[in-house]
Amino acid sequence: MTAWTEGYVADIPYALGFYRETVPAHIAFAAACVGKHPGLSLRPKRVLELGFGMGLGFVINSAANPATHFEGVDFNPLHVAHARGLVDEAELANVSLREASFQDLAREAQEGQHDLDLIVLHGILTWVSAEAHEAIVEIARKRLKPGGLLYVSYNCMPGWASVLPLQRLMRENAKRVAGRSDQQTGSGLELVKALISEGASYFKANSGLEQRVEKMGTLDRNYLAHEYLNANWFIFHFADVAEMFGRAKLGFVGSATLVENMDGLAVPEGTRARIGAETDPIFKETLRDVASNKQFRRDLFGRGVSSTTPPEQNAILGGMRFALAVPRSKVTFKIPSPVGDLDGNAEMYGAVADLLAEKMASLAEIIALPVFQKSGAGAALQAVSLFVHSGQVLPVPASNSTDPEFNPEPGQRLNRVIAEKMLQGRVYNFLAAPNAGSGIQAAHSDLLMFAAVLAGHGASTDTISAHVIEAMRRIGINWVKDGKPVTDPTERQIVVRADAETFLSEKLPVWHRLGIV
């Protein structure tokens, strides 16, 4: 590796992904839920993402929020070229991309520049150098406006404590293996599995590691290389991250993982009284991390962000609107949490889902549902928050829901690009949802169906299935059902046709409502 990489894996691209916690509307909702003013995240004019990877999430955010300018910086030319290709093909006009280091950006930033409403760093902090950390702080200090928010996610203690020797083992093994980083990762996995079978005491003393290694074997090798092979690998205590951003005058706001702000749903019952009684917000988070053995944090920090009064909080939250991101028939009231799956009250959660299946609705409209007349606004907010946490409901940006001049076409152009890529054998499993200012996950089958609709073959299940089967033949893939490829032509015809019927009757109407198509 050359010096410009600073020990970061750069010979293979990072995995493609979209992370809803980086969406401005989600960030604004998360801040309001914990009694903090969302500030400039409500209607951001300029967003900076530091280290955007391959850029899919960055580009989806840009396309879904055309009134906001998105500035992206990454030091890997492969990442920048890929992101720029998507931006150019989708003809996005609200984007600026740059290949540069964080140190470059920090040196160029001016004192009091204060031109950013929101800064986003997803996963970057763990894998960059100490010098890059200082540059990030300088960028935030000089460029984030008062009232602006910063989102940062990172691997954390204590959940990663037992994994530190495993990472070092794979890193040291990689130094001694020729080939690309993904090949070095494969060699490391084989070594680890051999040591487990040979009875190495480290794995016996840390029983959860064997299960982790099994899961690693199912994950994308490019992702694993970036996760385990970087020379810089900082596993942070929350207090250290809070101190770091405190030097930029940023204070802790809350978690962008909504359920983690609810102690009654996120930490073991026996620890709740102690955590609830703690008044120091930094130490409270430390206690929460220990109580839940936290491995990954998604933190929000703010520059001059104030607490809201109850009436202010009610007014801000009440005006926020929400959209159902899945068909009503697929909505589940079983919500994942750090303490296990939560079972939402069927009457309450069903009423929310029914309303959002009809239209985008404000929290005030949800609170007004008869089912919440006895339980109150708190129960309505919790139901909506948990739906958002599970990805079934999306907060809608204020500008997208109220601006008569809002234009979903940039997001729709990007979606057409993604559909075309699918037909070329290059898969992006996410689409922009411009009416919600966000994105949604889309399976391979969804993208093939979507491509058929865009090509004018979505009039019936027969036309869409015929187009999909022909596209599969051209790109050399099989339909998958229940995890198994469907290779028999007759069975394939039946299965694809049934899936096409479901797509047209259930999924496509939701996509129309979200502005995907």
Side-chain angles (χ1 to χ4, degrees), residues 17-352:
F18 170 80
Y19 308 97
R20 62 180 180 273
E21 294 86 0
T22 66
V23 173
H26 181 101
I27 289 171
F29 178 58
C33 283
V34 296
K36 297 290 187 179
H37 198 287
L40 300 173
S41 65
L42 274 173
R43 295 176 181 270
K45 294 180 180 178
R46 190 176 187 94
V47 175
L48 167 66
E49 181 164 355
L50 295 170
F52 53 73
M54 290 294 282
L56 179 62
F58 171 83
V59 175
I60 286 176
N61 271 333
S62 306
N65 295 275
T68 301
H69 185 89
F70 284 80
E71 177 185 353
V73 176
D74 198 287
F75 81 148
N76 189 329
L78 176 63
H79 292 170
V80 177
H82 179 268
R84 181 166 285 134
L86 290 176
V87 168
D88 290 346
E89 288 184 68
E91 300 177 7
L92 302 182
N94 62 323
V95 176
S96 58
L97 292 168
R98 184 178 174 193
E99 176 198 327
S101 71
F102 301 155
Q103 292 92 319
D104 292 335
L105 209 63
R107 281 191 294 269
E108 296 168 8
Q110 303 297 310
E111 291 290 344
Q113 185 171 341
H114 295 167
D115 60 335
L116 299 173
D117 302 301
L118 183 63
I119 298 176
V120 170
L121 302 100
H122 178 75
I124 293 300
L125 213 62
T126 296
W127 301 302
V128 298
S129 67
E131 291 77 17
H133 294 157
E134 291 305 312
I136 290 167
V137 171
E138 278 296 281
I139 294 166
R141 186 179 69 81
K142 293 177 178 177
R143 295 193 58 186
L144 188 64
K145 293 177 183 176
L149 295 182
L150 178 144
Y151 164 92
V152 58
S153 61
Y154 53 95
N155 293 344
C156 67
M157 291 291 191
W160 276 86
S162 65
V163 191
L164 292 173
L166 173 63
Q167 188 272 344
R168 184 59 181 266
L169 173 66
M170 293 189 66
R171 169 73 180 159
E172 289 298 324
N173 179 73
K175 294 178 182 178
R176 295 158 175 82
V177 175
R180 296 191 313 269
S181 296
D182 54 335
Q183 296 167 329
Q184 294 169 340
T185 300
S187 170
L189 281 174
E190 292 304 313
L191 172 61
V192 170
K193 291 175 182 177
L195 288 169
I196 291 173
S197 67
E198 292 161 7
S201 294
Y202 163 59
F203 296 99
K204 290 182 178 179
N206 297 276
S207 56
L209 282 177
E210 190 167 349
Q211 184 177 0
R212 177 184 284 268
V213 171
E214 289 178 5
K215 182 178 180 181
M216 288 168 63
T218 68
L219 299 176
D220 179 79
R221 293 291 172 86
N222 286 18
Y223 162 76
L224 289 174
H226 285 266
E227 181 74 68
Y228 287 92
L229 300 189
N230 287 306
N232 298 300
W233 206 66
F234 292 88
I235 307 300
F236 289 96
H237 293 275
F238 167 74
D240 293 332
V241 175
E243 189 277 331
M244 178 189 303
F245 287 109
R247 299 199 298 274
K249 299 183 181 180
L250 305 187
F252 179 62
V253 171
S255 175
T257 307
L258 301 178
V259 73
E260 292 180 358
N261 297 314
M262 310 174 194
D263 289 335
L265 306 178
V267 297
E269 185 176 1
T271 67
R272 293 169 193 167
R274 180 184 300 277
I275 293 171
E278 179 55 53
T279 58
D280 183 313
I282 305 304
F283 194 54
K284 183 189 284 283
E285 290 302 305
T286 299
L287 292 174
R288 283 173 168 162
D289 288 351
V290 171
S292 60
N293 195 33
K294 192 76 62 63
Q295 297 188 47
F296 192 73
R297 292 189 60 98
R298 299 178 182 90
D299 290 339
L300 299 177
F301 291 88
R303 187 184 186 93
V305 171
S306 62
S307 297
T308 55
T309 66
E312 287 173 335
Q313 183 186 31
N314 292 339
I316 292 169
L317 286 170
M320 289 184 170
R321 290 161 53 87
F322 301 87
L324 193 63
V326 297
R328 176 62 181 87
S329 63
K330 302 299 183 185
V331 173
T332 177
F333 308 151
K334 192 174 287 291
I335 310 294
S337 88
V339 294
D341 287 344
L342 307 170
D343 292 310
N345 178 282
E347 186 180 8
M348 292 182 181
Y349 284 66
V352 174

Side-chain angles (χ1 to χ4, degrees), residues 18 59-65 408 410-415 418 430-440 450 511 514-517:
F18 170 80
V59 175
I60 286 176
N61 271 333
S62 306
N65 295 275
Q412 292 169 354
R413 288 199 301 270
L414 175 63
N415 291 338
I418 291 173
F430 298 89
L431 293 168
N435 288 354
S438 187
I440 64 161
F450 181 51
W511 287 16
L514 294 174
I516 292 170
V517 58

Side-chain angles (χ1 to χ4, degrees), residues 452-480:
V453 170
L454 292 178
H457 300 285
S460 69
T461 54
D462 288 332
T463 57
I464 195 172
S465 57
H467 188 271
V468 165
I469 290 171
E470 172 58 23
M472 289 161 52
R473 185 195 64 77
R474 287 200 313 271
I475 59 182
I477 62 172
N478 286 314
W479 202 259
V480 175

